[in-house]
Each structure stands twice: as structure tokens, then as C-alpha cells.
């Protein structure tokens, strides 16, 4: 698993954006609507809803991976 910076949308519980550490953070993550949610890497348990294959595909085309999680560690509640 590659290393990611994880961001959470404040207004939608569980909506996350994973950005590889080697990539620039997309501009839409600025402006105070998103909050930094930590780092994901091989030493961290990823959210149960995180799909490595989908992440690889999304990152190849978009540079980031959006996903919804119910994992309490990554929700805003």
C-alpha cells in the first residue's frame, strides 16, 4: 500500500479524499471545507471501506481517491 494523506469533508460524515504523499493536494481540498484526517500507510489500518484497486485507478486518472466510510476512526462525529 502506498502512503496517503487523508482529508475529510466537514459537511458530509464519512466522505474522505485520499491523496498520495507524492502528489500535490488538489485545490478543492482548501478553503476550510475539508479537514486533515491523518496519514494512511502500511503501518496504519486503512478504513474498512478503502479499496486499494479503486484507489490506484482513481489516482491514475484524477490524482486523488474519494470514498465514503462508516469507519468511526475516519468520520467527523
Amino acid at each position: 500500500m502506498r502512503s496517503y494523506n487523508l482529508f475529510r469533508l466537514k459537511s458530509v460524515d464519512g466522505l474522505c479524499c485520499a491523496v498520495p504523499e507524492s502528489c500535490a493536494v488538489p485545490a478543492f481540498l482548501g478553503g476550510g471545507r475539508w479537514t486533515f484526517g491523518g496519514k494512511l500507510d502500511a503501518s496504519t489500518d486503512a478504513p474498512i471501506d478503502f479499496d486499494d484497486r479503486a484507489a490506484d485507478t482513481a489516482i491514475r486518472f484524477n490524482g486523488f481517491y474519494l470514498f465514503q466510510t462508516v469507519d468511526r476512526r475516519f468520520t467527523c462525529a
Side-chain angles (χ1 to χ4, degrees):
M1 176 182 197
R2 59 171 95 185
S3 296
Y4 297 94
N5 288 315
L6 185 71
F7 299 87
R8 300 180 306 198
L9 184 60
K10 293 177 183 178
S11 61
V12 180
D13 197 33
L15 185 59
C16 298
C17 182
V19 180
E21 285 187 324
S22 60
C23 293
V25 175
F28 73 87
L29 294 174
R33 296 181 61 208
W34 293 79
T35 184
F36 181 70
K39 295 193 179 282
L40 296 178
D41 58 26
S43 67
T44 308
D45 288 333
I48 55 175
D49 320 89
F50 190 90
D51 183 335
D52 284 325
R53 290 179 57 198
D56 286 341
T57 301
I59 288 161
R60 186 170 54 241
F61 290 103
N62 303 316
F64 59 88
Y65 171 52
L66 288 174
F67 66 100
Q68 186 85 25
T69 186
V70 295
D71 190 326
R72 287 251 179 241
R73 296 173 300 146
F74 300 96
T75 59
C76 295

